[in-house]
Amino acid sequence: MPLDILIVGAGVCGPALATLLLRADPAAFRLTVVERCAALRTGGQQIDGIPVVRKMGLLDAVRNVVVHEKGMAFVDKHGNQKFQFGVNDTGKGQQGFTSEYEIMRGDLVRVLYDASLEASEDAKKQGGSGVTYEFGVSVDNISQKEDGDGGVDVTFSDGRQRHFDLVVGADGQGSRTRRQAWGDEQGRAAFRTLHSYAAYFTIPRDDKEDSDVAIIHHLSGRRMIAFRANGRPETQCYLICNEPAQAPLLRDATGYTHKSVDEQKQIWRELYADTDAWCRERVFDGLEKTEDFYAHEAGQVKLDSWSRGRVALLGDAGYCPSPVSGCGTTASLVGAYVLAGELARHRDDVAAALDGYDRVLRPFVDEVQSLPPGAPTVVTPQTDWGIWFLHSLGRFITTFRIDKLALSLMPADKGGIPLPEYPELKLVE
Ligand SMILES: Cc1cc2nc3c(=O)[nH]c(=O)nc-3n(C[C@H](O)[C@H](O)[C@H](O)COP(=O)(O)OP(=O)(O)OC[C@H]3O[C@@H](n4cnc5c(N)ncnc54)[C@H](O)[C@@H]3O)c2cc1C
């Protein structure tokens, strides 16, 4: 009998896990993915490096949609450049502050979803059950015995009931699966805010302003406006506010952003109402008209264990390191790789697979969750004087090429802890 697995969430790591499991053994797994949105959520902007994609043999698919960024220019309120971090041209070490394989979130979600459908077709040709996606469906209730023995009974939002051997919550940083399996209080407490709030949206490209260099403008009150164009038809605009005093404005009593998109846009408009920056009109106009708006409270998810009985958490749901780490997507993909590897290795012993998942992944997650001291507030000064100091420091660093020196000393592959090998996954790089 195949292992019957429910994956909750068709974001980045849900489809990645499905692909890896079906490729490992087409007959061993019957997979169902439920996604609460009516269609694949392809919103979002540039996301971080993705070493697992290489292991999954999807590098060519990703290369076609990879984003090329040549540096970051820091500008004053008139749009005049104060300093620029560029690409490392020493020929050694890491090539820039942007990682090698940055990609738009929507492109990556599509690549992974398509790969899972392809793996599913192959599995079915070999007599397997493949993967079934159900959009517009979520989980209302899960119940299992204390030790998880006997699997999980699931009630879906449309009233159907089904039994699964394993439920994997891949439903993002606010994971409902986490709250259902760990209990509401513990599930919420696992999210530790960094008091950093970000809104990401696309605006029309302006060829006179936009290039392959990201533009960053600081405002007092720990705020930033950033533009990233990188040869794409639309430009990404980021608003970032690292001021804890703004928390009551941005988060609701539950600690998560549950406001409507229009309400969220209004909050961001108010937050930036005092700006007289050269780009004011572009930002406000773009914010008004964009249909690709995503905002969240950045934080980390910390748990002592990533499974409860036969419910496991994957990606942001279990160990979100926050965008501040620059490794949110990497962590979720490495997690999918390790969970798939352990399930393929211990297919008749789910408890052993979940133990292995925790043991093998823990050092990697500890590493990506450790943030530099003072992050993220230290890069967003409170006062105009602080911004002047930041610009002066940046000019000093770039004049003496200390940025290039630092980059040339960093390993070219920011992989950190090497990925464990799972021959059971039958991956050909
Ligand atoms: C629309 C969107 C835009 C994003 N934009 C950015 C960005 O611009 N920059 C950045 O750094 N990070 C962004 N992120 C977060 C980023 O994708 C993740 O931090 C990272 O890639 C880890 O992915 P994940 O698969 O763990 O979670 P996610 O990519 O967040 O995927 C979670 C999935 O679960 C679904 N889901 C949630 N709750 C339920 C439920 N109860 N039942 C069923 N399905 C559910 C969601 O709709 C989503 O498809 C965005 C996430 C989303 C959902």
Side-chain angles (χ1 to χ4, degrees), residues 8-15 34-37 39-48 105 108-109 137-139 170-177 200 236 238 292-294 296 314-317 320-323 328-330 332-333:
V8 185
V12 171
C13 59
V34 289
E35 164 60 51
R36 75 166 167 202
C37 289
L40 206 58
R41 282 184 87 185
T42 51
Q45 309 302 323
Q46 215 164 309
I47 49 179
D48 51 87
R105 181 182 179 277
L108 180 63
V109 167
V137 177
S138 57
V139 170
D171 46 351
Q173 70 174 40
S175 174
R176 194 168 170 203
T177 312
Y200 315 87
Q236 309 165 52
Y238 298 13
D292 179 18
F293 177 90
Y294 176 75
H296 72 159
L314 179 62
D316 277 1
C320 175
S322 87
T329 305
T330 303
S332 82
L333 287 172

Side-chain angles (χ1 to χ4, degrees), residues 3 341-354 356 359:
L3 201 65
E342 293 294 328
L343 284 167
R345 185 166 290 174
H346 305 283
R347 65 190 65 175
D348 298 322
D349 187 349
V350 176
L354 296 180
R359 188 171 20 82

